[in-house]
Structures are given as structure tokens and as C-alpha cells.
Amino acid sequence: MNLSRPLSRRAVLRGFGTALALPPLEAMLGPWRTNAATAPGGAQNPVRLAWLHTTSGIRMPRFTPKTTGPGFALTPILAPLERHRGDFSVLSGLFHRNAFKTIASVGRHDLDMLCFLTGADLGRLPGVAAKNAVSIDQVAGRTLGLHTRLPTLNLSAFPSSKLVYDEAGTPIPSMSNPVAVWDLLFGSPDGDAGTRARRERAQDSVLDRTLDSAKRLSAQLGASDRDKVDEYLTSLREVERRVQVARMWAGRPPVAAPAGSRKPAGTPENLTERIRLMMDLAVLAFQTDQTRALTLHLGGMDCKYPDIGCPDGYHGYTHTAHKDYTDEGDQMARVDRERIRHLAYFLDRLKAVKEADGTLFDASFIHYGSGMGDAHETTDLPNLIAGRAAGQLRPGSHIHYQGQPLANLYVAMLESAKVPAKAFADSTGALDRI
């Protein structure tokens, strides 16, 4: 470190009448602590991307088809997708090799959600216990969000869901209140035109005005602090980028809710009703083209389905023996099948929305999966895709990819929506044969 004395905790970056606060840095602690879519605006039916996550795995012997190729027999867990036969594919052998390896500071269950959408090796940085990276939906939102009111929409049937991460690897809370989601989609603009204009002027790029100050400060900091400042400024830049996109929408009337849709009265206590309400809102967001990238956490460790004979938390079922169970006696598999039934409902809703060249389903690319398999397995994981991505997908097969990176699927999803990203996490290219 080149600083002769500790940096003040009140230090700021200054420039052209702007003062930008800094995050906590080692330099503030003193020397004794330093070791502590479719082309933008193009076709009528832009490609929509959706990632659906279910926590704690799936009973793989009752999920994975016995044969590969088209015409595979539906397994007990996949049975609810019978009416969508030919419109989905099962992709075996995909996983995040680096993300799902054992790490002392993070438990296996946490890795499931932390890394499902990031593919990050949490222990990749020496001296840092765990460091996440940006999630794939946020990468999609960089491009797709330039043409919609919401860069991404992150939904969950459960409070405090941490599935999505920003450019600095910081969690972005998902929305679990359906009333709030409705208001986000169809509520009135915030404030009158004069208020919005003043707010926008105040948010005009503070980063540009403090760039010289940031460069001078970085030259005096140690490597760790420079990284922190870089991450902080990157996060602010992303916020500013979104503010600039928001300006394009400021002053426009709110999007009208489609005929027949109604604002939710509240959050249903019944889990099935809650999940399907979130799915209905996700479909509305796609239908009104307010976002083209969304995530939905639809299965948690503590899911309870007393109405199907599974009154206890789902996680407990994942630790029970199953080899001698009948299909109906295996409570883990029964919950897994219920979750697939939710997926079938989502596909029904997408198919019900007509667009210029087909249906909303035809313009979608949906991924359903988990960061765990059977008995917390890390390599034999459930992955299923549905939709047609505007004619770019040929669903209807069970394909085994022999250990290819799951990130290859994510790259293929980005490419289908014309997002310019050739790599993500440990990808080796876009997944083929889909």
C-alpha cells in the first residue's frame, strides 16, 4: 500500500460538483489491518428466456428417461408433461464442474442456489472464503434490457430467495409478493413528469464526473482495495446503465394489463396457488414484452404439500431410502412430480398466448433444473428445456452430454436471443443438438 496513513472512512471520490461515497476498504483500517432476443427492436416475436430452479435436487432414477433420442418413455416424475410430449427435451450429463465441487466455507445446499445461475467457482480467489459471480439472467439483461422496461424479472415463491447475482457477485433479492410484482408491471409511473426529470438530472453519470478521482485513488491502493473499488464502480455503472434505460420509459403511460387479468388480492398460503400465481405474472411480463429474461424459484427445501400426502419439509424426504419404495410411496418423487406439474401449467399458459407468428411458447426458451441430483449428487443433475426459441430449438429428445458444462446451455440460450456473449463461467461453446 502506498498510503502513508489510513484512508478516512468518510473518504469520497470528487469531481465536477459530485461526491461519491466509497465502500469499506482495508486502507481505511490502517496498516495493522491490511492482512485481515431477437435483434433489438427486430422481429415481432422476440425470444424470451426463463430459468426455473428447484432446490435440493430430484429423485433421478424416477426422473431420467431410460433411453436417449426421440420417443423416450416418460418416467413417473415426467408424467405430468404428457400433453407437452414433443415440446421439451431432457438433457443429461450437464453440470457446473467448478461450481459444485466441495468448498469448506459453503455447504452443499448453499452451493445449489448460489451457483445454479452463475457457474462460479466460489473458492477461486486466494484468501477469499467464497466469492460469487454474475448470474446468467443478468448477462442476458445487459442486452435484452435495452429494449424492455425491465432488464430482468426475478421471481420466487419463497421470501429471501438468493438465486440471482449482480456484476459484483452480490445477491439480488427475488420478488415473492405477487401484489408488488403486479404493481411493478402495471402500476402508475413514479411521480409526475417534473419529479422524474429532476431525479434523472440528479442521476446523470456521477461515475463519469469522478473518473479522474477514482484513477488517482486506485494508484495509491493495494491490490485487494483496488479490486473492491473496481467492483463497486462496476456495480454503480450497471445501476447507471439501467437508469439510462429507465429514462426512455419515463413519462410513458403504464402498460395496460391484458384483458381478463386481475391484480392479485394477496399472497396465497397454499404453495401450489402461490407458485402458479407467480407463473401467471411471469407470463404477463413476457406477453406485454416488459422483460425478455426472468428467473423463478419454484421449489424450496421446506416445501410442504399436505394435499398430496407430503406434509413435511421436502429436504427431509431427500434423505430417505427409496430403492424399495413404490412410486407412490417415495415422497421425494411425489413432490418432484408435483413440481413438474407446475412446469406443465407454465407451458400451458405460454401456449395459450397467441402472437403474430405462433404462441408465446414458440418464442420462449425455458430451462428447468436444480444444482443437486439424487441424494445430493453433484454430477448427475436434472436439466430440462422447453419452448422453440422462434424456431431455433428442436425439442422432443433425451440427450446425454457426457459431462459437458451446464454453462454451454446458458451460452446457447444467450445466442438464441441474440445476446453477444461467446462464453460464460466454464463454457466451451454453445450446446449443440438442441
Side-chain angles (χ1 to χ4, degrees):
M1 179 181 302
N2 297 321
L3 293 176
S4 59
R5 61 178 183 274
L7 190 66
S8 170
R9 293 178 185 271
R10 295 186 293 273
V12 295
L13 298 178
R14 297 187 182 278
F16 299 101
T18 297
L20 180 62
L22 288 167
L25 303 173
E26 289 180 3
M28 296 175 180
L29 302 176
W32 58 91
R33 292 290 301 277
T34 55
N35 293 324
T38 260
Q44 292 176 300
N45 294 353
V47 173
R48 282 78 158 200
L49 306 178
W51 290 267
L52 279 58
H53 178 261
T54 174
T55 303
S56 286
I58 287 180
R59 189 72 88 195
M60 296 302 290
R62 294 193 168 101
F63 169 83
T64 308
K66 303 301 181 185
T67 61
T68 57
F72 60 87
L74 293 182
T75 57
I77 289 176
L78 292 174
L81 289 172
E82 172 64 42
R83 62 185 179 275
H84 298 292
R85 179 182 284 277
D87 288 331
F88 73 94
S89 293
V90 177
L91 311 181
S92 297
L94 297 175
F95 58 95
H96 294 313
R97 184 178 302 276
N98 292 326
F100 292 149
K101 65 188 180 184
T102 301
I103 176 171
S105 61
V106 181
R108 182 69 190 90
H109 290 93
D110 291 329
L111 283 173
D112 181 2
M113 287 200 69
L114 285 170
C115 301
F116 179 70
L117 294 180
T118 71
D121 177 358
L122 298 184
R124 66 190 182 280
L125 300 179
V128 178
K131 176 65 175 175
N132 213 339
V134 65
S135 54
I136 188 64
D137 65 295
Q138 299 297 298
V139 175
R142 294 172 190 164
T143 297
L144 303 182
L146 296 175
H147 315 285
T148 59
R149 197 165 67 86
L150 304 173
T152 63
L153 182 62
N154 306 117
L155 305 176
S156 176
F158 316 93
S160 305
S161 175
K162 294 182 178 179
L163 185 65
V164 178
Y165 293 81
D166 66 15
E167 304 286 342
T170 303
I172 300 174
S174 297
M175 300 185 70
S176 60
N177 183 331
V179 177
V181 176
W182 176 277
D183 288 342
L184 176 67
L185 295 176
F186 305 115
S188 299
D190 182 19
D192 58 37
T195 300
R196 289 193 302 272
R198 287 191 296 273
R199 184 172 60 244
E200 289 162 8
R201 285 195 297 271
Q203 292 170 328
D204 193 20
S205 186
V206 296
L207 286 183
D208 289 344
R209 284 180 264 156
T210 59
L211 186 59
D212 289 340
S213 180
K215 288 180 178 179
R216 288 194 299 271
L217 175 63
S218 292
Q220 303 176 68
L221 296 175
S224 177
D225 280 347
R226 282 199 301 272
D227 289 342
K228 290 179 183 178
V229 171
D230 287 345
E231 289 177 1
Y232 174 60
L233 297 180
T234 297
S235 296
L236 288 178
R237 179 68 73 185
E238 176 63 14
V239 171
E240 287 199 334
R241 187 188 68 83
R242 293 189 177 188
V243 167
Q244 291 168 358
V245 173
R247 287 176 183 167
M248 296 189 301
W249 296 91
R252 299 185 187 183
V255 176
S261 59
R262 294 188 302 173
K263 181 175 181 176
T267 303
E269 292 187 9
N270 179 274
L271 182 57
T272 292
E273 293 178 8
R274 192 159 71 241
I275 291 172
R276 296 191 177 188
L277 180 53
M278 282 299 183
M279 288 180 163
D280 289 342
L281 290 166
V283 171
L284 287 173
F286 276 167
Q287 180 180 355
T288 55
D289 201 27
Q290 295 197 64
T291 191
R292 298 176 188 175
L294 66 81
T295 63
L296 173 58
H297 181 208
L298 61 81
M301 290 176 62
D302 296 323
C303 280
K304 297 178 181 179
Y305 285 97
D307 46 336
I308 63 169
C310 299
D312 301 320
Y314 176 76
H315 179 240
Y317 300 141
T318 69
H319 287 277
T320 58
H322 66 278
K323 292 182 179 179
D324 297 328
Y325 282 178
T326 63
D327 290 338
E328 287 303 312
D330 186 348
Q331 288 173 298
M332 178 181 176
R334 290 167 72 180
V335 175
D336 294 339
R337 185 165 61 248
E338 189 69 8
R339 292 173 172 177
I340 291 295
R341 190 171 286 113
H342 297 324
L343 174 63
Y345 173 85
F346 186 52
L347 302 188
D348 286 340
R349 296 286 290 108
L350 291 170
K351 288 183 176 182
V353 178
K354 305 301 182 184
E355 292 199 320
D357 300 320
T359 67
L360 189 53
F361 174 85
D362 296 325
S364 298
F365 193 152
I366 302 120
H367 174 226
Y368 176 96
S370 177
M372 285 186 182
D374 193 36
H376 299 181
E377 171 61 57
T378 61
T379 58
D380 186 14
L381 302 180
N383 287 289
L384 182 155
I385 61 172
R388 298 192 178 275
Q392 299 175 80
L393 295 181
R394 300 179 301 279
S397 293
H398 172 212
I399 309 169
H400 202 297
Y401 285 96
Q402 307 296 329
Q404 282 194 43
L406 176 56
N408 285 2
L409 171 62
Y410 293 171
V411 171
M413 294 180 74
L414 296 179
E415 288 190 354
S416 75
K418 305 298 185 292
V419 176
K422 298 300 182 183
F424 179 77
D426 62 348
S427 67
T428 58
L431 199 67
D432 60 0
R433 296 183 285 155
I434 55 176

